[in-house]
């Protein structure tokens, strides 16, 4: 058995890629968790302005005429992943297989020697946002880098990447990793990265509410990140007694992930919801939030334009049909169509 074939079997049998999903056909869930920065593959670090809809403008000063209500609440429960790592998965579990265009959301917590050794990807993007600590990324094109607290790496796997993601420091390394699907026309593009250090992430403040704008626009401030699949991604911190009214483009799917504290989301008379919950939002003009607790509330608001395409996922590959999944596996096995360097490369991790 060749080294590449052995790796492929290990990837698909490993805890990194357990269970299975697919909107079409058989299921094969995956995972691969935190990702840390490498240097740029073929793209610049900060791309042109976000492709988020222009309707994602400054936050409104009053509640919306049609506020987005919470239509699904899911507690992200801990589960083992990778080699000794732990994640809290919300999107990607059987209760919420995907939320077009989002494939997976994990809150990860990893300490050495645990991590996510060499594994491939094709057909989607990963966004890693470090909340605490640092992760080092290496890939088979020779790129390597480390993202630290507050940094972001936006990786477009496209036609093929093999990489590793391992903790870079002692103690617990924490963060969020989001998987965003690519349209059929973009699934086989060349891999690329966008990386922002914490100091370079766009920020804004209004009425005591602070926001770090990873993608999209809030309070009239826009992120420099280019989103091939139109996406908004924001990290809000609300002090006790504050409220927020953030527009979300019409027709986009959106969700909230609560990082710390508790808040009232969607409707003013709704019950407060605490940390580690994922809240799927229904249609409307935007999201309203109230912090009635005595502690700060921190949450991520994420929205994206649905692709409306079939999703077939098998382990680390996400395509539009079973035939394309089979082709991805063959390409990785034979080292072609983007995986030419797979059989010769092993990370230093």
């Amino acid at each position: 058995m060749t080294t590449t074939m052995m790796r492929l079997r290990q990837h698909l049998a490993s805890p990194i890629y357990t269970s299975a999903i697919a909107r079409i056909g058989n299921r094969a869930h995956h995972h691969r968790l935190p990702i840390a920065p490498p240097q740029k593959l073929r793209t610049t670090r900060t791309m042109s302005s976000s492709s988020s809809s222009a309707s994602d403008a400054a936050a409104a000063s009053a509640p919306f005429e049609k506020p987005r209500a919470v239509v699904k609440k899911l507690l992200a429960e801990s589960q083992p992943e990778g080699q000794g790592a732990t994640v809290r998965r919300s999107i990607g579990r059987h209760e919420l297989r995907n939320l077009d265009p989002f494939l997976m959301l994990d809150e990860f917590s990893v300490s050495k020697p645990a991590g996510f050794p060499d594994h491939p990807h094709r057909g989607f993007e990963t966004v890693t946002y470090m909340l605490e600590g640092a992760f080092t990324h290496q890939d088979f094109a020779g790129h390597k880098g480390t993202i630290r607290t507050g940094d972001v790496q936006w990786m477009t796997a496209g036609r093929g990447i093999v990489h590793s993601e391992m903790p870079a420091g002692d103690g617990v390394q924490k963060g969020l990793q989001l998987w965003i699907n690519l349209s059929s026309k973009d699934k086989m593009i060349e891999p690329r990265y966008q990386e922002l250090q914490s100091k370079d992430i766009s920020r804004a403040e209004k009425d005591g509410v602070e926001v770090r704008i990873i993608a999209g626009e809030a309070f009239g401030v826009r992120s420099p990140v280019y989103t091939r699949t139109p996406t908004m991604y924001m990290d809000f911190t609300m002090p006790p007694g504050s409220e927020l009214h953030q527009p979300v483009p019409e027709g986009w799917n959106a969700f909230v992930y609560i990082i710390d504290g508790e808040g009232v989301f969607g409707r003013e008379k709704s019950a407060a919801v605490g940390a580690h919950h994922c809240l799927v939002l229904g249609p409307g003009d935007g999201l309203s939030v109230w912090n009635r607790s005595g502690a700060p509330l921190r949450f991520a608001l994420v929205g994206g334009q649905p692709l409306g395409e079939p999703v077939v996922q098998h382990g680390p590959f996400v395509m539009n049909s079973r035939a394309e999944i089979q082709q991805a596996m063959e390409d990785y096995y034979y080292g072609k169509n983007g995986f030419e360097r797979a059989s010769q490369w092993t990370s230093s991790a």
Side-chain angles (χ1 to χ4, degrees), residues 118-246:
D118 306 4
H119 55 275
H121 292 297
R122 172 179 281 182
F124 60 99
E125 299 182 302
T126 66
V127 182
T128 302
Y129 182 33
M130 292 302 300
L131 301 176
E132 178 182 327
F135 251 75
T136 293
H137 166 280
Q138 301 178 51
D139 72 26
F140 69 176
H143 303 284
K144 180 179 180 179
T146 299
I147 51 173
R148 306 180 187 280
T149 303
D151 295 350
V152 172
Q153 185 200 59
W154 199 296
M155 182 184 83
T156 303
R159 66 201 304 254
I161 278 285
V162 178
H163 72 165
S164 68
E165 302 159 297
M166 303 296 288
D170 296 327
V172 180
Q173 322 298 310
K174 298 180 179 180
L176 299 176
Q177 187 170 89
L178 177 69
W179 288 20
I180 305 174
N181 201 9
L182 288 170
S183 67
S184 56
K185 67 180 176 60
D186 292 329
K187 285 189 176 293
M188 295 296 286
I189 62 175
E190 290 296 321
R192 60 197 65 195
Y193 296 88
Q194 296 175 83
E195 293 143 2
L196 277 78
Q197 294 183 349
S198 180
K199 65 181 179 62
D200 297 322
I201 293 177
S202 301
R203 305 173 190 226
E205 185 272 337
K206 183 174 182 179
D207 299 330
V209 177
E210 299 178 351
V211 60
R212 291 165 56 85
I213 308 159
I214 297 169
E217 183 177 327
F219 300 162
V221 177
R222 179 173 291 276
S223 166
V225 170
Y226 171 79
T227 59
R228 189 166 293 276
T229 299
T231 304
M232 61 184 290
Y233 189 155
M234 298 159 190
D235 174 5
F236 285 100
T237 300
M238 299 178 61
S242 63
E243 64 181 78
L244 166 72
H245 306 286
Q246 171 63 37

Side-chain angles (χ1 to χ4, degrees), residues 59-60 204-212 219 234-246 256-266 273 287-301:
E205 185 272 337
K206 183 174 182 179
D207 299 330
V209 177
E210 299 178 351
V211 60
R212 291 165 56 85
F219 300 162
M234 298 159 190
D235 174 5
F236 285 100
T237 300
M238 299 178 61
S242 63
E243 64 181 78
L244 166 72
H245 306 286
Q246 171 63 37
V256 164
Y257 188 80
I258 304 172
I259 299 169
D260 291 306
E262 66 173 31
V264 175
F265 294 84
V273 185
L287 171 67
S288 294
V289 186
W290 296 264
N291 182 2
R292 299 199 179 105
S293 72
L297 164 65
R298 184 182 183 187
F299 65 92
L301 170 62

